[in-house]
Amino acid sequence: MAPSRLPYLLVALPAGAIVDRVPKLRLMIWCNLALFLVIGSVPLARAVGALTLAQLYAVALVSSVFSVFFSVAYQSYLPVLLDRNQLMDGNGKVAVSGSVAQIAGPSLGAGLVALIGAAGAMAADALSFTLSAGSLTAVRTRERRRPPAEADRRPGLWAQIREGLAYVTRDPILRNSVAFNGTANFFVIMVETLGPVFLIRTLHLRPAPVGLLLALGAGGGVAGGVAARYLARKVGSARISWNSMTVLSLPGLLIPLAGHGRWVLLFGFGWISWTFASTVAGVSLTTYRQAACPPDMLGRVSAAARWITWGTLPLGGVVGGALATALGVQTTLWIAVAGGCCAGLWLFFSPLRGMRDIPLGKPEPAPVGGKP
């Protein structure tokens, strides 16, 4: 397992409990500053001739730890900034910015490497975190703090982690949403891993068009983030969550049908449909979690959901590799895309199917002690 992915399994749960204990905005600022120092250590070590492979692995691991804390904190801080009726639009914009970064990031990184070298590109990356920290300091909205008496009565760290997991498993919409995300991740990682192999070895494409086809997925994410609010208003935020992953994702079945010449575009079309549908569903499901969860538990609940859904990624990679060896790459892609489309059944067989819109009522206050 890559060092950059390991922290999501090892650190996410305690990170959620810690996020619920401290001011989230301040935590995000400190994470950015820590990332500046950690990533900035690479070009510094390179400049003095002390850079080692061990340091690179350590930087990947430590920077991922801070990234976990930051991602849990910012998802928990968004409801502080926005009213509940604005969360759908806010999450859509967050999804768009993430997808744009997926498109622009690799090209910008490659351009910087060509222009100023790998060490210079790393230095620029480190400096970008200072810009992020500076932007966050301009935010004036602050979350509600617990009175000292309440803070003294809260349970211990591991008890709070259990509360977050219990909340996810008890709420039927959250439970099925996590099951959907975990199942989808299990199969999507197969496509992400085997898709380039299929395009290069079977269809004999050059790296440039392969990169372009894979980048189309980020384009689907941008479109999904932009369209999420409109579709939620026209179709219903609950309806679109399960319709997107049981209907709009079906063109994903075209991925293994891609062939030579113009038929390779079937891969791109199928990949776009998958990322579009999953982004639309993700915006709706994230909005539900933020609106339904008590504010004082949102960090733990978000971290628990992420811990479960990310836990299926390494398993999907291992199973995908084993199936590709035994059955062939294209056959495994058929299994992966069929399984990914079926992941939406977790949402179809959930309370969301009986609703038009996701309930955005005010949640009950989080318990201060004991089980939720």
Side-chain angles (χ1 to χ4, degrees):
M1 185 185 302
S4 61
R5 192 169 289 169
L6 198 60
Y8 284 93
L9 300 179
L10 300 181
V11 182
L13 290 178
I18 293 172
V19 164
D20 283 337
R21 289 170 173 242
V22 301
K24 299 172 183 62
L25 182 62
R26 186 183 303 171
L27 177 62
M28 288 188 288
I29 293 172
W30 281 110
C31 284
N32 274 321
L33 295 177
L35 286 165
F36 162 69
L37 294 175
V38 172
I39 295 175
S41 70
V42 174
L44 181 62
R46 175 71 176 81
V48 299
L51 184 62
T52 64
L53 185 61
Q55 180 182 349
L56 293 176
Y57 278 115
V59 166
L61 181 63
V62 175
S63 61
S64 293
V65 170
F66 287 112
S67 296
V68 170
F69 275 90
F70 184 92
S71 62
V72 173
Y74 92 75
Q75 281 199 344
S76 305
Y77 188 66
L78 191 64
V80 177
L81 295 174
L82 304 176
D83 294 332
R84 283 183 170 76
N85 59 0
Q86 298 174 316
L87 284 175
M88 183 73 70
D89 186 39
N91 283 309
K93 290 175 179 176
V94 169
V96 169
S97 64
S99 296
V100 169
Q102 287 182 343
I103 295 173
S107 299
L108 180 60
L112 285 175
V113 169
L115 184 65
I116 57 178
M122 290 287 287
D125 185 27
L127 287 173
S128 71
F129 289 102
T130 64
L131 296 177
S132 177
S135 299
L136 290 172
T137 59
V139 177
R140 294 290 175 256
T141 305
R142 299 293 187 271
E143 65 261 41
R144 181 185 72 86
R145 295 187 180 182
R146 283 190 173 193
E150 286 188 14
D152 292 339
R153 294 197 304 269
R154 64 188 170 196
L157 185 68
W158 292 109
Q160 287 189 300
I161 290 173
R162 289 193 296 270
E163 286 180 357
L165 288 168
Y167 194 96
V168 170
T169 57
R170 187 179 68 237
D171 185 299
I173 295 179
L174 279 178
R175 185 174 62 243
N176 282 42
S177 298
V178 169
F180 152 69
N181 280 315
T183 304
N185 282 348
F186 177 85
F187 289 110
V188 167
I189 196 64
M190 293 187 188
V191 179
E192 289 186 349
T193 303
L194 298 177
V197 178
F198 171 66
L199 293 172
I200 293 173
R201 294 186 180 179
T202 303
L203 302 185
H204 307 294
L205 290 184
R206 294 184 179 275
V210 170
L212 178 60
L213 287 170
L214 296 177
L216 290 176
V222 172
V226 171
R229 184 183 181 187
Y230 173 81
L231 292 174
R233 187 171 63 250
K234 291 296 183 181
V235 181
S237 56
R239 288 177 182 169
I240 195 58
S241 65
W242 62 265
N243 269 291
S244 62
M245 293 311 301
T246 55
V247 178
L248 298 182
S249 67
L250 289 179
L253 294 171
L254 296 174
I255 289 174
L257 286 174
H260 297 283
R262 62 184 179 181
W263 295 106
V264 75
L265 295 177
L266 292 177
F267 186 100
F269 183 68
W271 192 229
I272 287 175
S273 72
W274 255 24
T275 54
F276 176 87
S278 62
T279 301
V280 171
V283 167
S284 296
L285 298 176
T286 301
T287 299
Y288 172 78
R289 183 172 70 239
Q290 292 168 336
C293 179
D296 292 339
M297 288 188 67
L298 187 52
R300 283 168 281 166
V301 171
S302 297
R306 181 160 294 197
W307 179 71
I308 296 170
T309 56
W310 273 77
T312 61
L313 286 172
L315 182 60
V318 171
V319 173
L323 288 176
T325 301
L327 304 176
V329 172
Q330 191 167 19
T331 301
T332 304
L333 279 178
W334 274 113
I335 296 172
V337 296
C341 291
C342 290
L345 294 176
W346 285 108
L347 303 179
F348 180 79
F349 293 109
S350 78
L352 291 170
R353 186 160 56 97
M355 304 175 182
R356 185 191 187 276
D357 291 298
I358 288 174
L360 299 179
K362 186 176 181 179
E364 295 296 326
V368 175
K371 294 183 178 180

